[in-house]
Amino acid sequence: MLDTVEDAQKEACAVLVMKTMLVDLSERTGEKFDVLLLKFSKSRTYKNLFDYDTKYWCEGPDYLYATYKLAN
């Protein structure tokens, strides 16, 4: 079933899960969203999120956050 999802749809899901994770993190830590986005965009987790073969794009924000924290 995931094989029928187009790259544009995968990208939309990846952006949504990333935004949700960063908004949640910003609210928890008080750190600005823009600062968190810059930090996250330099991470291996960010790279994996947009490597659609990893399927990070179809996971939730909690999974993304846990993966990000483990890698950093």
Side-chain angles (χ1 to χ4, degrees):
M1 181 173 178
L2 291 177
D3 295 333
T4 61
V5 179
E6 295 180 16
D7 282 352
Q9 294 168 308
K10 293 174 185 177
E11 181 179 10
C13 290
V15 169
L16 180 60
V17 74
M18 177 182 66
K19 181 180 178 188
T20 302
M21 186 268 295
L22 291 173
V23 166
D24 290 349
L25 185 57
S26 178
E27 289 173 355
R28 281 197 310 264
T29 65
E31 199 165 353
K32 290 186 176 190
F33 178 89
D34 295 346
V35 172
L36 291 170
L37 177 58
L38 282 174
K39 287 180 185 177
F40 182 70
S41 69
K42 297 175 185 175
S43 72
R44 171 175 274 156
T45 304
Y46 177 87
K47 182 179 177 184
N48 287 337
L49 178 61
F50 290 95
D51 173 0
Y52 303 131
D53 292 334
T54 66
K55 304 227 183 338
Y56 280 32
W57 60 270
C58 64
E59 298 292 343
D62 291 337
Y63 176 86
L64 190 64
Y65 176 72
T67 303
Y68 176 57
K69 285 316 242 181
L70 283 174
N72 293 309

